[in-house]
Amino acid sequence: MDRVALRGLKARGHHGVFPKEREEGQTFIVDLVLGLDTRPAAADDDLTKTVHYGVVAEEVVDVVQGEPVDLIETLAERIAQQCLSHAGVQEVEVVVHKPDAPITVPFDDVTVTITRSRR
C-alpha cells in the first residue's frame, strides 16, 4: 500500500476535560499517513484517482475546530473516520499532538496515535 503523509496540520480547538481548555482553547497539531493505491493516479496523471490532500487537510482542520470533545482519543477517531470517508483511502494513521496539555511538570508534547482501516 502506498502512503500519502501530511505532517504538522495546526488548528485551534476547545477539547479537554477542564473548563479552561473548553473556554480558552489551544493549538492541536495533527499528523496523518493515508494508505491507498496511487498507481491508477500515477498511470494517468489524474488527481481524481488519488486522494486530494489539500481537501483532507481542510477537513481535518474543520474537525479540530469543530465540536469539542473531552479526549484527544475521541478527536483522533473523528479525524480517522473523516479520512476514511474518501473512497481511495484504505487505511489511516492519525497522530494528535496536544503540546499545551494541562500537565504540572515540564514536558514537550502529549500525543495519541491510532490506526484505522476499512478492513
Side-chain angles (χ1 to χ4, degrees):
M1 191 168 307
D2 303 320
R3 305 272 182 236
V4 173
L6 291 92
R7 307 248 188 244
L9 295 170
K10 293 181 184 175
R12 190 159 187 83
H14 293 265
H15 311 288
V17 296
F18 298 113
K20 184 177 179 181
E21 294 178 289
R22 292 293 184 104
E23 292 165 12
E24 295 179 11
Q26 60 192 291
T27 298
F28 292 85
I29 302 166
V30 178
D31 302 324
L32 302 172
V33 179
L34 307 170
L36 65 153
D37 184 357
T38 63
R39 290 176 292 191
D44 295 335
D45 198 27
D46 186 348
L47 177 61
T48 65
K49 294 181 179 179
T50 187
V51 65
H52 191 309
Y53 51 79
V55 170
V56 172
E58 291 171 359
E59 292 172 350
V60 169
V61 166
D62 286 346
V63 171
V64 174
Q65 292 175 340
E67 180 185 347
V69 296
D70 288 345
L71 303 177
I72 58 174
E73 292 88 341
T74 306
L75 182 59
E77 184 66 34
R78 288 183 177 180
I79 291 167
Q81 294 309 312
Q82 181 60 49
C83 293
L84 289 170
S85 74
H86 291 267
V89 177
Q90 298 300 308
E91 181 178 277
V92 62
E93 179 183 272
V94 177
V95 182
V96 175
H97 300 257
K98 189 175 180 180
D100 298 320
I103 297 175
T104 60
V105 297
F107 74 102
D108 289 329
D109 198 6
V110 172
T111 66
V112 168
T113 303
I114 66 170
T115 303
R116 298 293 182 265
S117 66
R118 293 185 183 275
R119 298 178 210 122

